[in-house]
C-alpha cells in the first residue's frame, strides 16, 4: 500500500472509531441518568434504611469484598419477611390501616411459601446502574477506600424507587479521581445514625493492600476524614 493510500484510509478509520463510540453510548452499553425501572418486588429504601436502620451490606452482601455489590436472594428477604412475623398481611401501623401487601405477596410467590419452597425461584431484579463491558468498577476498592454508597448512587436511603442519580460516564468518574474524594462531603449524603458506620468485622474486610487496617469502616476510621483522596486515572485503571 502506498503512502497516499495509507493517508486516504485515515478518515475512514476515524469515522469508524467515532461511530463505535456513539454506538456504545446510545445502544444500551451503559445506563442513563434518571432511569428508575419498576422492580418485580418493590423495595422502599426509606423504610428499610431510615426507619429500620438496615446496613447496605445486609442485602448488597459483596460490596466490600467483590467487584460486584451483589443483589439479595429470596432467602435474604424471607429471613425477615416470613409468614409468622412480617408476611403479606400487614397490621394497622403508622396511621395506615390493616392491609395486604402486594409486594410481599409477590415475594412469597417467588419464595413459593405455599409450596414449602419446592418451586422457589430467584427474584429477577432489573439492573439499574450499568457501565459498558469494557469498563471495570470494583466496588470493594471504592467501599474500602471510604467512598460512601450515596456518592455514586445518590441519596438512595430516600428513594421509594431506586433510580440512577449520576451519569456514571467517563468524565464523571475521572473528575473524582483527579480532584479527589472528600469523605466529609460523601458522609453528608448518608442518613443520620447510618448503621453502616458500625465497625466492619475483620473477617469481611479485604486483604491488604485493598482494605483498611483493623476493625475499620468508611465512616469510623480517622483516615477517611483526612485530605481529599486522589486516585490514578490512566487507562489501565478502569479498562483492563
Amino acid at each position: 500500500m502506498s503512502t497516499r493510500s495509507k493517508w486516504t484510509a485515515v478518515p475512514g478509520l476515524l469515522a469508524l472509531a467515532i461511530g463505535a463510540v456513539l454506538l456504545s453510548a446510545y445502544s444500551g452499553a451503559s445506563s442513563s441518568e434518571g432511569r428508575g425501572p419498576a422492580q418485580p418486588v418493590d423495595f422502599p429504601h426509606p423504610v428499610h434504611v431510615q426507619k429500620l436502620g438496615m446496613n447496605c451490606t445486609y442485602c448488597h452482601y459483596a460490596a466490600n469484598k467483590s467487584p460486584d455489590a451483589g443483589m439479595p436472594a429470596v432467602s435474604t428477604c424471607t429471613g425477615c419477611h416470613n409468614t409468622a412475623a412480617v408476611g403479606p398481611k400487614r397490621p394497622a401501623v403508622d396511621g395506615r390501616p390493616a392491609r395486604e401487601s402486594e409486594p410481599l405477596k409477590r415475594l412469597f410467590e417467588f419464595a413459593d411459601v405455599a409450596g414449602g419452597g419446592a418451586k422457589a425461584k430467584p427474584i429477577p431484579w432489573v439492573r439499574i446502574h450499568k457501565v459498558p463491558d469494557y469498563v471495570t468498577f470494583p466496588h470493594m476498592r471504592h467501599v474500602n477506600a471510604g467512598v460512601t454508597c450515596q456518592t455514586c448512587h445518590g441519596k438512595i436511603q430516600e428513594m421509594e424507587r431506586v433510580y440512577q442519580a449520576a451519569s456514571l460516564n467517563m468524565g464523571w468518574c475521572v473528575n473524582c479521581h483527579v480532584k479527589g474524594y472528600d469523605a466529609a462531603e460523601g458522609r453528608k449524603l448518608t442518613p443520620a445514625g447510618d448503621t453502616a458506620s458500625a465497625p466492619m468485622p475483620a473477617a469481611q474486610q479485604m486483604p491488604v493492600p485493598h482494605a483498611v487496617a483493623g476493625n475499620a469502616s468508611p465512616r469510623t476510621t480517622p483516615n477517611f476524614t483526612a485530605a481529599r483522596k486522589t486516585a490514578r486515572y490512566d487507562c489501565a485503571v478502569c479498562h483492563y
Side-chain angles (χ1 to χ4, degrees):
M1 180 182 291
S2 65
T3 302
R4 182 176 180 180
S5 298
K6 290 180 180 179
W7 281 107
T8 303
V10 170
L13 292 173
L14 182 60
L16 184 64
I18 293 174
V21 171
L22 292 176
L23 183 64
S24 170
Y26 296 101
S27 65
S30 58
S31 50
S32 303
E33 185 175 357
R35 177 174 174 270
Q39 297 292 345
V41 176
D42 294 339
F43 184 90
H45 277 79
V47 172
H48 293 80
V49 179
Q50 292 186 304
K51 183 178 179 180
L52 301 177
M54 287 180 63
N55 189 306
C56 301
T57 54
Y58 186 86
C59 296
H60 303 288
Y61 53 89
N64 62 331
K65 53 191 174 185
S66 170
D68 189 84
M71 292 297 291
V74 174
S75 58
T76 300
C77 302
T78 55
C80 295
H81 293 286
N82 55 68
T83 306
V86 196
K89 295 187 181 299
R90 308 298 297 125
V93 64
D94 292 338
R96 300 179 65 184
R99 64 199 185 281
E100 190 165 33
S101 169
E102 288 299 324
L104 289 180
K105 283 177 62 178
R106 289 194 291 274
L107 171 64
F108 274 37
E109 289 171 2
F110 284 113
D112 187 31
V113 171
K119 296 182 179 179
K121 53 186 177 182
I123 301 172
W125 298 111
V126 179
R127 187 168 185 173
I128 300 174
H129 305 86
K130 182 181 185 297
V131 293
D133 291 340
Y134 51 80
V135 177
T136 301
F137 181 88
H139 273 82
M140 74 286 190
R141 288 181 183 271
H142 292 78
V143 172
N144 286 311
V147 179
T148 62
C149 305
Q150 290 84 353
T151 299
C152 298
H153 296 292
K155 291 187 176 183
I156 204 161
Q157 73 274 8
E158 299 176 2
M159 299 181 189
E160 288 289 342
R161 176 187 289 186
V162 176
Y163 63 89
Q164 184 170 317
S167 68
L168 307 184
N169 61 28
M170 182 175 175
W172 184 82
C173 296
V174 170
N175 183 62
C176 187
H177 278 230
V178 174
K179 292 185 177 179
Y181 172 70
D182 187 335
E185 287 299 313
R187 256 197 309 280
K188 289 179 182 178
L189 301 173
T190 63
D194 188 351
T195 55
S197 62
M200 185 185 301
Q204 295 181 17
Q205 292 184 37
M206 288 293 294
V208 176
H210 303 310
V212 290
N215 222 16
S217 81
R219 300 173 188 80
T220 57
T221 304
N223 183 48
F224 288 121
T225 61
R228 284 179 175 270
K229 291 184 176 182
T230 57
R232 288 172 49 196
Y233 55 94
D234 49 282
C235 303
V237 172
C238 302
H239 305 288
Y240 60 89

